[in-house]
């Protein structure tokens, strides 16, 4: 769907749910709030302005790969997207700029991750939704361990999740990644964290300290300010939640009617 307010901007929907937004004239424009929060994480990765090796699980319209290519010239990126029809559609109607080093793979995200070499990425961005749900096999302890293996020392994992009170899914994901990574944080709007509505939450995990103070400053300046939860507050949110195994994994919950749909 074209955006009437921006000349070459497009909204991609899948089964009625907004999936990606791309401005072909300005790849640094991140329309969706969760994408801006992932952008903040990418901006803080490694030395400022340095090219990165980034692995994207979930492709959509390649919004974040375009952003990285524009803000971190010379970066090497792999995108794994199981929906090959979607990849073909995006390649035809929303092509990447010439010279951008983005390799696109039409495969299952976890299978591709399992075959990836050790220490291959500075950042791993997970934004995989089957319709409006995160698939079950991308929620488990075994998956988190594969992500850690593929990240370089000091690397960062960032995932777009969605949940609402009482946060059974989000809490289980935090418990799962806390089992593997030394440091965690989550970015979400205060209304979401207080359980007032269903919404997106960006999970961040690393073996190194996460620069939460700077992330908090950046997210507070967004059009829809968010909070960065970490430390004791995050441990309270996890509570008695337990890590997810492959045997008991379930997809993320279906959003309440109308949460993310477009007319």
């Amino acid at each position: 769907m074209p955006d009437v307010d921006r000349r070459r901007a497009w909204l991609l929907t899948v089964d009625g749910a907004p999936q990606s937004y791309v401005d072909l004239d300005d790849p640094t424009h991140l329309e969706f709030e969760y994408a801006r929060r992932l952008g903040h994480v990418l901006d803080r990765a490694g030395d400022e302005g340095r090219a990165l090796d980034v692995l994207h699980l979930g492709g959509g319209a390649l919004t974040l790969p375009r952003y990285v290519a524009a803000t971190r010239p010379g970066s090497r990126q792999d995108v794994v997207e199981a929906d090959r029809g979607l990849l073909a559609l995006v390649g035809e109607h929303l092509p990447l700029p010439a010279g951008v080093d983005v390799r696109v793979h039409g495969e299952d995200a976890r299978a591709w991750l399992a075959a990836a070499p050790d220490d291959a990425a500075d950042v791993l961005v997970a934004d995989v939704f089957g319709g409006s749900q995160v698939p079950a096999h991308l929620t488990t302890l075994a998956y988190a361990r594969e992500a850690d293996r593929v990240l370089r020392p000091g690397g960062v994992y960032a995932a777009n999740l969605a949940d609402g009170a009482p946060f059974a899914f989000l809490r289980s994901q935090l418990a799962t990644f806390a089992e593997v990574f030394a440091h965690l944080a989550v970015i979400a709007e205060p209304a979401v964290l207080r359980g007032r509505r269903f919404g997106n939450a960006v999970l961040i995990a690393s073996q190194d300290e996460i620069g939460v103070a700077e992330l908090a400053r950046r997210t507070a300046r967004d059009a829809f300010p968010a909070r960065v939860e970490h430390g004791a507050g995050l441990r309270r949110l996890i509570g008695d939640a337990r890590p997810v195994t492959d045997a008991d994994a379930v997809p993320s919950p279906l959003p309440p009617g109308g949460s993310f749909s477009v007319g």
Side-chain angles (χ1 to χ4, degrees):
M1 298 170 60
D3 185 340
V4 297
D5 296 320
R6 301 176 74 93
R7 190 175 67 88
R8 289 215 305 154
W10 298 84
L11 173 66
L12 171 68
T13 66
V14 176
D15 297 331
Q19 218 268 4
S20 298
Y21 181 101
V22 169
D23 186 336
L24 296 178
D25 290 330
D26 183 6
T28 65
H29 176 75
L30 300 177
E31 180 76 10
F32 293 167
E33 291 300 324
Y34 84 82
R36 293 187 195 182
R37 291 162 194 157
L38 289 169
H40 294 319
V41 176
L42 287 160
D43 290 343
R44 295 291 299 155
D47 297 330
E48 186 174 355
R50 178 177 66 84
L52 298 170
D53 289 335
V54 184
L55 170 57
H56 303 265
L57 301 182
L62 309 181
T63 302
L64 288 171
R66 298 171 203 266
Y67 179 83
V68 171
T71 59
R72 303 285 190 123
S75 293
R76 296 163 296 275
Q77 303 184 77
D78 286 282
V79 178
V80 185
E81 170 59 61
D83 189 340
R84 297 187 181 187
L86 176 61
L87 289 176
L89 178 73
V90 170
E92 179 181 357
H93 295 282
L94 305 171
L96 289 165
V100 171
D101 188 0
V102 176
R103 297 169 294 277
V104 179
H105 312 272
E107 299 181 37
D108 175 78
R110 182 158 167 185
W112 196 94
L113 187 67
D118 296 355
D119 301 334
D122 299 304
V123 185
L124 195 167
V125 177
D127 187 13
V128 184
F129 281 78
S132 54
Q133 293 178 279
V134 178
H137 68 305
L138 301 180
T139 69
T140 72
L141 194 55
Y143 163 74
R145 287 173 175 148
E146 289 287 8
D148 181 44
R149 178 186 63 79
V150 171
L151 284 169
R152 292 179 181 141
V156 179
Y157 176 90
N160 177 35
L161 307 174
D163 201 3
F167 301 116
F169 176 74
L170 178 60
R171 292 171 62 242
S172 75
Q173 288 307 282
L174 293 170
T176 299
F177 279 80
E179 189 81 4
V180 177
F181 290 88
H183 301 278
L184 263 66
V186 66
I187 308 173
E189 289 181 36
V192 172
L193 290 174
R194 291 173 186 150
R196 294 178 181 171
R197 67 177 185 82
F198 192 98
N200 295 95
V202 170
L203 182 156
I204 310 164
S206 179
Q207 301 297 3
D208 284 6
E209 291 277 357
I210 297 167
V212 293
E214 178 60 22
L215 278 176
R217 282 192 288 270
R218 288 172 179 246
T219 58
R221 294 196 297 263
D222 285 340
F224 293 93
R227 193 168 88 216
V228 180
E229 196 67 79
H230 63 100
L234 198 66
R235 289 190 292 274
R236 285 194 297 271
L237 179 58
I238 294 172
D240 60 358
R242 301 181 62 82
V244 178
T245 68
D246 283 332
D248 57 23
V250 296
S252 65
L254 279 168
S259 294
F260 299 125
S261 63
V262 295

